[in-house]
Amino acid sequence: MVSFGGFAQVYQVSLEEKSKAIELTNQAIEMVKAEMIEDAFNLLVEAIAIDSTNRNSYLQLYRVGMNDSTRVDKVIAILQKSKKLFQQDDEICYYLGEMYNHKGEVKRAMYEYSMAIAYSKLNGEDFHLVHRYYFNRANICLGKNMISTAVLDYTYALNLKPTYGAAYANRGICLFKMGEKDAACKDWKQAVKLGISQSEEYVKRNCKTETTK
């Protein structure tokens, strides 16, 4: 028998059950690639029922949910339960934030992004998705006109990923709203350099361009 230790509980899962859950999860991954979303969903639910400690099953279930809006609520319910098993898991919180955001439930999305950020402080900010925790929370703040808070999150995202063009573009919008036109133009120009073509229009309309004599 193999033991999985959580903070409050210990789960006993046989090697046979673990192997079966991994097999079902791998099959589900292939079905997602083949756009067989319903079958993938059913396999992942079965995998979790067999071995609730297989974290990858939950991560793949998120991908299924984002490909099928009719299953979002069911996936959210399962991922919420998984947080009791995988405590302080910033990635799972982030995925929940994404799903709530997808549904337009921005208050819940912001809560999950904030939890992801808090846990990333404990787990390490070198994980490849952490900059998106800040970026997506900043986007919600921008939408709610919480401009100064959004600037802080965009800036933190850029500290983690200095080549994040979208963060420059959106921080530029915030700075412009704050009346910091020169700083906004600097961000938009940097965004253009990093491939964000939408920022070109902001530069044309709001920023001085150099002219040659």
Side-chain angles (χ1 to χ4, degrees):
M1 303 293 284
V2 176
S3 298
F4 176 87
F7 285 99
Q9 295 173 294
V10 175
Y11 297 83
Q12 298 290 335
V13 183
S14 71
L15 289 174
E16 182 180 357
E17 289 170 329
K18 290 185 75 68
S19 296
K20 182 61 176 178
I22 291 171
E23 178 186 349
L24 291 173
T25 299
N26 289 338
Q27 289 177 11
I29 291 171
E30 294 304 313
M31 288 183 174
V32 171
K33 293 178 182 177
E35 298 184 356
M36 300 169 64
I37 304 302
E38 181 177 358
D39 291 334
F41 175 83
N42 291 333
L43 282 180
L44 290 169
V45 170
E46 183 181 352
I48 291 169
I50 293 170
D51 177 12
S52 63
T53 72
N54 183 19
R55 184 172 175 273
N56 191 37
S57 299
Y58 297 95
L59 302 185
Q60 299 304 323
L61 194 63
Y62 156 75
R63 292 173 174 84
V64 167
M66 292 299 282
N67 278 283
D68 183 357
S69 60
T70 65
R71 301 186 187 277
V72 169
D73 288 335
K74 291 180 180 179
V75 174
I76 285 176
I78 294 171
L79 289 184
Q80 284 289 5
K81 289 182 180 180
S82 79
K83 290 202 298 184
K84 297 178 181 178
L85 190 64
F86 307 104
Q87 296 187 16
Q88 299 182 349
D89 192 311
D90 53 287
E91 186 177 8
I92 288 176
C93 289
Y94 168 68
Y95 290 151
L96 278 165
E98 291 287 83
M99 300 194 82
Y100 282 126
N101 208 2
H102 183 69
K103 289 184 63 181
E105 297 183 23
V106 293
K107 186 176 181 179
R108 289 185 174 183
M110 179 174 281
Y111 172 81
E112 295 295 345
Y113 291 144
S114 296
M115 293 306 298
I117 287 169
Y119 293 148
S120 72
K121 301 289 187 185
L122 302 174
N123 300 329
E125 294 183 322
D126 55 340
F127 182 55
H128 70 99
L129 288 175
V130 176
H131 63 282
R132 294 194 62 86
Y133 304 172
Y134 289 90
F135 178 78
N136 288 0
R137 188 173 72 171
N139 287 343
I140 292 176
C141 290
L142 175 55
K144 295 171 73 68
N145 208 36
M146 298 165 59
I147 304 303
S148 59
T149 303
V151 168
L152 291 175
D153 274 354
Y154 287 132
T155 300
Y156 205 99
L158 286 167
N159 289 337
L160 294 171
K161 187 177 180 180
T163 59
Y164 200 1
Y168 277 111
N170 288 4
R171 189 175 69 173
I173 294 172
C174 293
L175 292 170
F176 191 81
K177 286 177 175 286
M178 295 169 68
E180 299 182 22
K181 183 177 177 180
D182 290 343
C185 289
K186 184 178 179 180
D187 270 5
W188 288 331
K189 290 174 182 178
Q190 184 63 23
V192 172
K193 289 180 181 178
L194 293 169
I196 308 300
S197 58
Q198 291 173 320
S199 292
E200 292 181 5
E201 184 61 29
Y202 294 134
V203 172
K204 290 178 182 177
R205 280 188 293 159
N206 305 297
C207 306
K208 294 179 180 179
T209 57
E210 294 182 1
T211 58
T212 57
K213 295 182 180 181

